[in-house]
Amino acid sequence: MKLKKLFLLGLIASVIAPVQQVGAASSNPITTQESKSFEQIHSELLDHSDDAPLMIMGHRGQWREYPENSLAAINEAIEDGTEVVEIDVHLTADGVPVLMHDTTVDRTTNGTGKVSDLTLAQIKDLRLREGLGGKTAELTEHAIPTLEEVMLAVKDRAIINLDKGWKIREEMYEVLVKTDTVDHGLFKGSPNVEEAAEFMAKDPEILYMHIINDNSANTVGTFPGRQPVGYEIVFDNLLDPQIQPEKVRQIKENSRVLVNVMWNGLAAKYTDEASLRDVDLGWKAVTKLGVNMMQTDNIEALDYWRDGGNMEHWEFQNGNRTVRVQAEDQLDGRQGVDVSDIDGAIAVSHNVDGEWAKYEVNIQKPGLYKISGRVSAAAAPAGTITLDWAGESSGEIKLKNTTHQRAFELQEWEYRYLEKGTHTFTVNVLGTGSYNLDYIQFDLQ
């Protein structure tokens, strides 16, 4: 878990090559926030007033630090500020609900085959891969948890969003009854209204969220009796009927409004990565649409912003100690560099052996700097680069597999003493790589 909810003091001056000042003085004091009680979280979920606080839903747990859908990822998501953790549930061959996003175990474990064809004992013999998985992702010691294990682990701590599980809702409900956590489970689906209403009617503690898109926006307001606690709105265009102001107001008469900000097409292009560039392109924009709940892949950053943090200071040191260079801002003379929009991140991609890009960095304070790159890669080997400083090379830098092209992380490259002033350096590609480079960061040590 990173240090979070730390509101930076003083002047933070960052430079984006070639020359652009970013950041300003922050007036926020250094504060910390105690964890919410379950009673608070449950009450917030049922709060659909105009001033209802923004709630965070962590997508597959904190997969940036632990394997997706693992107990460790769920626990870390709660520690990092989410009130609701989204998980995915399937039944084993012997009828036990377990956590797995795909219908097979191939992507995320060292096994193969459908979850429905494997017994619980066989499932428990498998081990999860790092992050979002993939054949070349490192194997961990984490095992696939059962839904029962998850509900016991989160009891009195968080709500669990039960994705992929509408067809097995009865089996999941039995687990929640057994663990005395019916009020901790958020069932979700897009069935017809009658089917959803019938399920909700069996137990007043059942929490249900209804998914709507272009074709089902008219289901809002048609539920007899008890209403869903929330609606998940999926839209790819601001003209879609489900995101129109009147429809959102209608939803908020009885329910919360959730959107997914993980990637393009779930909430148009209002994504996590766009928000990291400018909150007006993502999180802030969707709140202006009336959204009061977001499912995210960037729990800590969203929690920081929700608590009043200035995103221009996110992951920066204070005191004019961090300098950032955007990878797409190469100097003239670059050779064969492709720039892509990766769900809101503007990154250099499709890197090929022999390509290079030259940059300038304006250093405000002399000293020893840790130089890192914000990189994503869906496989290993991810790629190899060198940094060239007027003929002096860093040596080969092996980039790490982050397990998905959207899974950007800051990777340490080298340490170098830099005098105050402007420095020119070149990123050289050695061998075709599968990585994407968002920006290069300099942190004074």
Side-chain angles (χ1 to χ4, degrees), residues 56-63 67-71 73-75 77-78 82-90 99-102 107 132 147 150-151 154 158-165 184-188 209 211 232 258-260 262-263 266 293-297 299:
I56 296 175
M57 180 183 293
H59 181 230
R60 306 184 201 175
Q62 184 55 287
W63 55 261
E68 69 169 60
N69 278 314
S70 65
L71 276 176
I74 293 166
N75 284 323
I78 297 169
T82 185
E83 292 85 20
V84 185
V85 183
E86 186 259 6
I87 63 171
D88 307 285
V89 188
H90 290 280
L99 272 60
M100 185 63 53
H101 178 273
D102 304 350
R107 175 176 60 85
L132 297 175
L147 178 59
V150 169
M151 300 315 297
V154 305
I159 302 287
I160 290 293
N161 177 14
L162 303 163
D163 202 9
K164 303 286 184 184
H184 289 55
L186 180 57
F187 292 85
K188 186 175 73 174
M209 177 173 286
I211 305 170
E232 178 179 313
L258 167 74
V259 299
N260 304 295
M262 293 89 72
W263 57 80
L266 296 176
M293 196 171 188
M294 294 186 213
Q295 183 173 196
T296 180
D297 278 331
I299 298 167

Side-chain angles (χ1 to χ4, degrees), residues 197 199-208 223-229:
F199 181 66
M200 280 194 290
K202 72 183 295 178
D203 189 328
E205 288 195 328
I206 286 176
L207 304 171
Y208 173 70
F223 278 76
R226 193 156 64 97
Q227 301 300 301
V229 297

Side-chain angles (χ1 to χ4, degrees), residues 10-74:
L11 182 67
I12 300 179
S14 67
V15 182
I16 296 179
V19 180
Q20 178 182 345
Q21 297 295 329
V22 178
S26 170
S27 60
N28 293 319
I30 297 175
T31 63
T32 58
Q33 176 177 300
E34 296 297 325
S35 298
K36 296 175 184 176
S37 69
F38 177 75
E39 289 72 21
Q40 286 178 290
I41 294 170
H42 191 271
S43 177
E44 283 188 7
L45 182 63
L46 301 181
D47 183 1
H48 49 79
S49 62
D50 287 339
D51 59 352
L54 176 65
M55 298 187 76
I56 296 175
M57 180 183 293
H59 181 230
R60 306 184 201 175
Q62 184 55 287
W63 55 261
R64 294 184 182 277
E65 298 182 48
Y66 297 99
E68 69 169 60
N69 278 314
S70 65
L71 276 176
I74 293 166

Side-chain angles (χ1 to χ4, degrees), residues 295-438:
Q295 183 173 196
T296 180
D297 278 331
N298 290 73
I299 298 167
E300 290 178 290
L302 178 52
D303 185 39
Y304 169 81
W305 175 73
R306 176 179 64 174
D307 287 347
N310 183 342
M311 289 307 297
E312 289 183 349
H313 302 165
W314 175 246
E315 293 190 324
F316 275 41
Q317 299 183 86
N318 60 333
N320 197 26
R321 298 173 62 86
T322 294
V323 182
R324 189 173 285 175
V325 178
Q326 297 293 345
E328 66 271 20
D329 290 338
Q330 306 94 358
L331 298 174
D332 290 341
R334 59 189 180 271
Q335 177 176 320
V337 174
D338 295 310
V339 177
S340 302
D341 181 337
I342 303 174
D343 291 302
I346 308 303
V348 171
S349 56
H350 309 296
N351 303 287
V352 178
D353 184 19
E355 290 184 344
W356 53 269
K358 185 177 291 187
Y359 301 91
E360 281 184 352
V361 58
N362 189 352
I363 297 297
Q364 300 294 310
K365 290 185 175 181
L368 180 66
Y369 282 81
K370 179 174 72 173
I371 304 172
S372 308
R374 189 171 189 257
V375 174
S376 72
T384 304
I385 64 169
T386 63
L387 303 183
D388 183 85
W389 300 84
E392 182 181 343
S393 176
S394 63
E396 291 190 359
I397 298 169
K398 302 288 186 183
L399 304 179
K400 301 173 186 175
N401 174 19
T402 68
T403 71
H404 200 281
Q405 68 167 358
R406 287 195 310 274
F408 284 93
E409 67 175 38
L410 205 57
Q411 298 185 4
E412 181 182 308
W413 285 357
E414 71 162 344
Y415 287 81
R416 184 170 291 272
Y417 186 90
L418 297 171
E419 298 286 357
K420 180 179 179 179
T422 300
H423 299 262
T424 301
F425 66 99
T426 303
V427 177
N428 299 295
V429 181
L430 306 181
T432 299
S434 62
Y435 69 92
N436 307 292
L437 176 59
D438 184 16

Side-chain angles (χ1 to χ4, degrees), residues 166-183:
W166 181 250
K167 290 184 179 179
I168 59 170
R169 58 193 178 278
E170 295 296 343
E171 290 87 348
M172 294 194 302
Y173 175 72
E174 289 176 7
V175 171
L176 271 55
V177 170
K178 179 181 178 182
T179 55
D180 191 26
T181 57
V182 175
D183 59 348

